Amino acid sequence: MIEPFLALAAAQVGPAAGPGCTFDTAVPADVRQMAEEPARWLDRCVRIEGYVSYNRFYADVAGYYSYVASDYADRRNDGWLGLYPWRRYGFRGPMRRGSVVGIVHDCETDQERAEAETPGGFIMMTGFCHYRYGLVLRPAIFRPGAPADFVRQVGDEARLRFGDLQTESEVGPAPPEVRGLAARFVAAVAARDEQALNQLVSFSNEVGRPLDRRRLAARRAFLIGDGGSPLSVLRPGSTSLQSAFFRTRRPQDAASESPSYGWHACYCRTADCTGLWPISDADATADPTRPYLCIQMYSEHNPRLAPNKIAVTRAAPYPIEPERTAFRRQSDSFRR
């Protein structure tokens, strides 16, 4: 007898669409229209045009930012959806533009159906629906086109449209404990105080990576601002710093948290970062290709407590923006 959660896993990744759903038979669709009336589109064979990266589809750059936003629950399928690729059509590799066909499903609806079919069974969603809810295509067949040239977005217009960072003018001043922790970090970098920095800083995108001698040396140089580290702007003798504090916008139904939760401190690495600050939590990094560097204050054990640690992300998340556009202000589109 197959256990219920194994049966569901098989149903999730198998070619449920069948041979009838092809590029010739699929109905042209728009993700945002589908999100407005999802029930009308469920179980239909559709074709969508946009950008594919691994198991995700983005209609445009706004769809990417809506997906990565911390408040994605409030922007459900606003230009994005999940994919269950048919086994012969993997989507690994750089982001590409192209056409996708598949049967429209909804993670919650699929789970409810599975629960109804296996009363009392343990249901575990697999693939995209294991981590997110919303619309998916399964199985999805991808017809790739040209590689996509991803350009990260900047400026208040983009931030307000589809970003997830809020300014102090919108949410009020950063709490004293946030400013105090950021000041301690800046002072430690300026003093090359390795002990203080090692106690303060967590490298948020390097969890689990082995710290051999080479990596330890690179981390040390980064923290004290040596060897091209973007933190060098915090060292004594640097030009006067332009700085800004941002708070990550949370879902409307999120539980209340400490006023000090979700704050980023950003420092300009150029003469003026007006119009160049990050618009998204995902872009608030210390990546050397950014015209700014950002750190995030957080509580190590409980988000309702005052922050005591600083998270630093040294590399921008995938997809990677070409260096030739990294410091430039761009229109809100992917480029081919």
Side-chain angles (χ1 to χ4, degrees), residues 43-254:
D43 301 318
R44 295 181 65 180
C45 175
V46 302
R47 183 180 74 251
I48 52 179
E49 308 286 335
Y51 302 84
V52 170
S53 173
Y54 186 47
N55 65 347
R56 297 175 294 276
F57 169 88
Y58 311 118
D60 46 34
V61 74
Y64 165 80
Y65 277 102
S66 293
Y67 171 81
V68 302
S70 62
D71 60 333
Y72 71 89
D74 298 335
R75 303 179 183 188
R76 184 184 177 93
N77 295 118
D78 184 9
W80 58 271
L81 52 70
L83 301 172
Y84 282 83
W86 191 31
R87 60 188 178 188
R88 294 192 331 200
Y89 292 86
F91 305 150
R92 298 186 183 279
M95 178 186 288
R96 298 185 71 90
R97 181 179 176 86
S99 303
V100 185
V101 300
I103 300 292
V104 181
H105 283 252
D106 174 78
C107 292
E108 291 98 323
T109 301
D110 281 358
Q111 180 160 347
E112 290 170 1
R113 289 174 177 174
E115 290 173 347
E117 293 170 359
T118 56
F122 175 73
I123 305 300
M124 183 181 71
M125 306 295 281
T126 63
F128 182 90
C129 292
H130 184 72
Y131 303 97
R132 291 275 179 112
Y133 285 127
L135 297 177
V136 295
L137 296 185
R138 71 170 181 91
I141 302 174
F142 180 42
R143 180 180 289 169
D149 208 356
F150 178 71
V151 178
R152 295 191 181 277
Q153 300 300 292
V154 294
D156 283 340
E157 182 181 353
R159 183 179 60 80
L160 293 171
R161 281 182 58 199
F162 43 75
D164 66 344
L165 293 183
Q166 296 174 300
T167 65
E168 289 183 289
S169 64
E170 295 164 347
V171 297
E177 55 267 31
V178 168
R179 289 185 172 275
L181 188 59
R184 284 176 56 196
F185 172 77
V186 172
V189 174
R192 301 170 65 92
D193 188 341
E194 295 180 49
Q195 182 177 358
L197 289 167
N198 285 326
Q199 291 175 348
L200 279 175
V201 174
S202 167
F203 288 93
S204 59
N205 63 332
E206 300 176 28
V207 176
R209 299 179 67 181
L211 288 176
D212 55 25
R213 184 175 300 178
R214 180 179 61 84
R215 291 191 186 280
L216 282 170
R219 175 178 287 193
R220 175 184 180 277
F222 178 88
L223 282 174
I224 61 177
D226 284 352
S229 167
L231 271 62
S232 63
V233 72
L234 305 178
R235 297 274 297 276
S238 300
T239 57
S240 82
L241 279 180
Q242 184 184 29
S243 62
F245 283 82
F246 298 93
R247 187 177 186 184
T248 304
R249 190 161 77 91
R250 293 165 294 177
Q252 295 177 6
D253 59 353

